[in-house]
């Protein structure tokens, strides 16, 4: 069957997360978005794990469903019964290797609670897994993977947001130049990489050494309303093992592709200094010796720069059966642009609710609905989605922790549109 999965989220037990990041909130928002499988996140945290064991029950092999009835946001009548959870967690490994301090985030995926208990028992002996849903451990990535293989061989490990400057396998501030350098003799057990918000498959396929890896995308959301800003589309059996094998096989027949941010919207796409208001593309940074022209300190080197440093191709290379990818603007952001207000504004919420009532889910509107069908309810939204699907958007790249801005309409067009109260008509 075809389904959408967001496999990297955080619970309310992680730092800087919403109190609504609980199972009810995640399941409800997942249904509104059109997401069928959601990572639990944070299974290393004992209180969150206790909650998971209490509130979830086994469904399909390796998938879990909520035992109790779920109320959806805005009290919309959306079927939540098909939403499943997959046991997942992110580990922050900070350690010294090769005379350099490494800070790498890795994702763990497991099929059952017994495996979780065994993993947690090992990690608790290494460091504190109680203080944060994403524990910080003095643990080599190689050794983390070794623990997974020993205690839960049916599970799998994926390096997280692989290009983020500060905390990733290829990060400009603390990373490695290859998977092998990081995982050593266990590298063969890594079969997928998470691209992160600031890169997409186009960028990653400029690097031949990454050809053998599947590229997955997830929201890494800290509040349930941000679910699905990136996600994965599968056409395979609806269970943990089929999903895992679809990623491992990396073929479009079972792993159809990923839903992506436009990478320029990611907050580490370009080089720069946020405090200095300096944003630079890689060639400009290199001319300056990677030094900020305002304060004279080293720039935060972004994802685009780092990818180009490791790239050995001018154009990306894809296999014939490579999974596809679809770059989108999240619907609240798109509505907010058209209404000229922030995505959190009440006017946006009202139009968002109407969109869901008309089209069933956010992804059905953004990915599947015909432009003609959208136009019957909103010619303006039809134009916007048509431009997004074709990639004909205006991009202001993010840098040094500041999100970029992607727009479907120019400033001149916005002046012609004027002030709108709503997007959709019945």
């Amino acid at each position: 069957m075809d389904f959408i999965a967001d496999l990297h989220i955080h619970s309310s037990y992680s730092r800087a997360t919403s109190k609504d990041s609980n199972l009810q909130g995640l399941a409800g928002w997942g249904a509104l978005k059109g997401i069928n499988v959601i990572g639990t996140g944070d299974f290393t945290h004992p209180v969150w794990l206790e909650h998971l064991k209490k509130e979830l029950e086994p469904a399909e092999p390796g998938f879990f469903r909520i035992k109790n009835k779920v109320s959806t946001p805005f009290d919309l009548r959306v079927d939540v019964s098909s939403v499943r959870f997959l046991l997942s967690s992110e580990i922050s490994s900070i350690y010294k290797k090769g005379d350099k301090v490494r800070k790498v985030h890795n994702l763990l995926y497991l099929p059952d609670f017994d495996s979780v208990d065994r993993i947690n028992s090992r990690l608790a002996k290494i460091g504190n897994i109680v203080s944060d849903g994403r524990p910080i451990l003095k643990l080599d990535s190689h050794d983390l993977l070794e623990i997974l293989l020993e205690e839960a061989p049916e599970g799998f490990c994926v390096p997280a947001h692989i290009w983020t400057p500060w905390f990733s396998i290829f990060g400009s501030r603390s990373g490695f130049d290859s998977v092998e350098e990081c995982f050593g003799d266990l590298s063969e057990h890594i079969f997928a990489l998470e691209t992160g918000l600031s890169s997409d498959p186009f960028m990653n396929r400029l690097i031949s050494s990454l050809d053998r890896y599947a590229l997955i995308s997830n929201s890494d959301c800290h509040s349930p309303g941000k679910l699905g800003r990136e996600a994965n589309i599968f056409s395979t059996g609806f269970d943990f093992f089929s999903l895992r094998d679809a990623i491992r096989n990396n073929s479009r027949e079972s792993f159809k592709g990923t839903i992506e941010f436009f990478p320029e919207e990611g907050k580490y796409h370009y080089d720069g200094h946020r405090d200095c208001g300096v944003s630079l593309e890689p060639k400009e940074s290199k001319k300056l010796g990677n030094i900020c022209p305002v304060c004279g300190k080293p720039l935060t080197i972004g994802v685009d720069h780092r990818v180009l440093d490791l790239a050995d191709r001018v154009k990306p290379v894809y296999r014939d059966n490579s999974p596809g990818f679809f770059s989108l603007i999240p619907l609240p952001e798109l509505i907010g642009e058209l209404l000229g207000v922030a995505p959190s504004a009440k006017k946006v919420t009202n139009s968002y609710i109407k969109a869901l009532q008309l089209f069933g889910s956010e992804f059905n509107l953004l990915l599947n609905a015909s432009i003609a069908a959208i136009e019957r309810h909103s010619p303006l939204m039809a134009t916007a989605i048509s431009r997004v699907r074709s990639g004909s958007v205006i991009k202001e790249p993010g840098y040094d922790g500041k999100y970029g801005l992607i727009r479907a309409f120019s400033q001149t067009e916005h002046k012609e549109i004027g002030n709108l109260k709503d997007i959709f008509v019945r």
Side-chain angles (χ1 to χ4, degrees):
M1 64 175 284
D2 289 0
F3 62 93
I4 294 175
D6 185 346
L7 302 174
H8 182 181
I9 69 98
H10 289 284
S11 74
S12 57
Y13 294 94
S14 281
R15 291 191 180 102
T17 51
S18 166
K19 60 180 175 54
D20 296 325
S21 292
N22 52 50
L23 291 174
Q24 293 275 330
L26 291 165
W29 273 102
L32 296 186
K33 299 280 185 175
I35 298 170
N36 310 96
V37 179
I38 304 170
T40 61
D42 301 354
F43 68 52
T44 52
H45 194 279
V47 183
W48 179 241
L49 178 58
E50 182 181 359
H51 182 67
L52 296 177
K53 290 180 176 179
K54 181 180 178 181
E55 299 296 329
L56 295 177
E57 63 182 8
E60 299 77 16
F63 284 174
F64 299 83
R65 58 174 164 249
I66 295 182
K67 294 177 183 178
N68 301 314
K69 184 178 180 181
V70 177
S71 58
T72 58
F74 319 123
D75 293 324
L76 289 172
R77 293 183 178 179
V78 179
D79 182 18
V80 184
S81 64
S82 63
V83 175
R84 299 290 186 264
F85 287 90
L86 182 156
L87 299 171
S88 68
S89 198
E90 182 180 18
I91 309 297
S92 177
S93 288
I94 300 180
Y95 56 101
K96 193 169 184 179
K97 191 169 188 174
D99 295 324
K100 184 177 180 180
V101 175
R102 311 292 183 169
K103 299 178 181 180
V104 181
H105 286 187
N106 291 297
L107 299 164
L108 303 182
Y109 298 103
L110 303 180
D112 54 69
F113 283 113
D114 287 342
S115 297
V116 169
D117 289 338
R118 292 193 299 271
I119 293 287
N120 286 354
S121 178
R122 292 282 297 272
L123 297 182
K125 296 175 182 177
I126 296 169
N128 187 346
I129 64 172
V130 177
S131 62
D132 191 7
R134 181 182 59 203
I136 300 172
L137 302 176
K138 189 177 180 180
L139 177 64
D140 192 302
S141 295
H142 169 279
D143 299 340
L144 174 65
L145 178 55
E146 187 173 50
I147 290 171
L148 174 73
L149 296 172
E150 290 173 354
E151 303 295 348
E154 293 292 339
F156 62 104
C157 172
V158 177
H161 42 69
I162 58 174
W163 297 102
T164 302
W166 305 98
F167 299 100
S168 71
I169 186 173
F170 298 137
S172 61
R173 291 302 182 101
S174 62
F176 300 90
D177 288 344
S178 69
V179 173
E180 291 74 17
E181 189 182 356
C182 180
F183 290 98
D185 62 329
L186 298 181
S187 297
E188 65 184 51
H189 297 284
I190 299 295
F191 54 81
L193 306 169
E194 184 188 56
T195 57
L197 302 182
S198 294
S199 83
D200 62 9
F202 182 96
M203 296 168 66
N204 284 269
R205 294 308 181 204
L206 294 172
I207 303 169
S208 61
S209 62
L210 303 187
D211 285 351
R212 79 173 187 88
Y213 300 101
L215 301 175
I216 68 172
S217 293
N218 303 292
S219 68
D220 193 3
C221 71
H222 288 227
S223 64
K226 298 291 187 181
L227 271 170
R229 55 186 180 176
E230 293 202 332
N232 309 278
I233 308 173
F234 295 99
S235 183
T236 188
F238 194 62
D239 62 87
F240 174 93
F241 304 98
S242 295
L243 179 151
R244 178 199 63 192
D245 292 345
I247 296 173
R248 191 201 307 270
N249 294 334
N250 196 26
S251 172
R252 190 176 301 182
E253 286 75 24
S254 55
F255 180 19
K256 297 182 71 173
T258 54
I259 296 164
E260 304 277 342
F261 253 31
F262 286 94
E264 291 84 358
E265 188 171 1
K267 59 184 180 180
Y268 290 106
H269 186 73
Y270 263 10
D271 307 334
H273 264 177
R274 180 172 43 175
D275 291 344
C276 298
V278 172
S279 173
L280 300 168
E281 58 181 306
K283 64 180 181 181
E284 295 172 318
S285 300
K286 291 179 180 180
K287 288 180 181 178
L288 295 170
N290 298 329
I291 298 298
C292 176
V294 174
C295 69
K297 296 179 181 179
L299 294 162
T300 298
I301 299 301
V303 169
D304 193 34
H305 189 144
R306 182 70 172 138
V307 168
L308 292 175
D309 280 347
L310 296 185
D312 56 356
R313 293 168 173 156
V314 177
K315 295 181 179 180
V317 174
Y318 306 95
R319 300 191 325 272
D320 290 341
N321 64 341
S322 292
F325 68 97
F326 310 90
S327 298
L328 300 177
I329 300 175
L331 185 56
E333 293 182 18
L334 200 55
I335 294 173
E337 179 193 344
L338 297 178
L339 295 177
V341 296
S344 58
K346 186 174 181 180
K347 285 202 302 183
V348 172
T349 299
N350 292 337
S351 288
Y352 185 75
I353 290 171
K354 287 185 180 180
L356 298 178
Q357 291 171 331
L358 290 167
F359 295 96
S361 72
E362 180 171 338
F363 281 138
N364 188 51
L365 171 58
L366 293 176
L367 285 173
N368 303 323
S370 70
I371 298 301
I374 301 169
E375 193 169 28
R376 286 195 290 271
H377 299 284
S378 174
L380 199 58
M381 180 57 76
T383 299
I385 290 180
S386 178
R387 291 181 180 183
V388 171
R389 289 179 182 177
S390 67
S392 302
V393 296
I394 299 164
K395 306 171 184 177
E396 296 179 20
Y399 64 97
D400 194 22
K402 180 180 179 180
Y403 282 107
L405 181 63
I406 310 297
R407 301 196 310 273
F409 293 89
S410 67
Q411 296 293 346
T412 300
E413 288 175 311
H414 277 294
K415 290 179 182 178
E416 295 173 352
I417 292 169
N419 294 322
L420 301 174
K421 293 183 177 180
D422 197 359
I423 299 297
F424 295 96
V425 294
R426 293 285 182 176

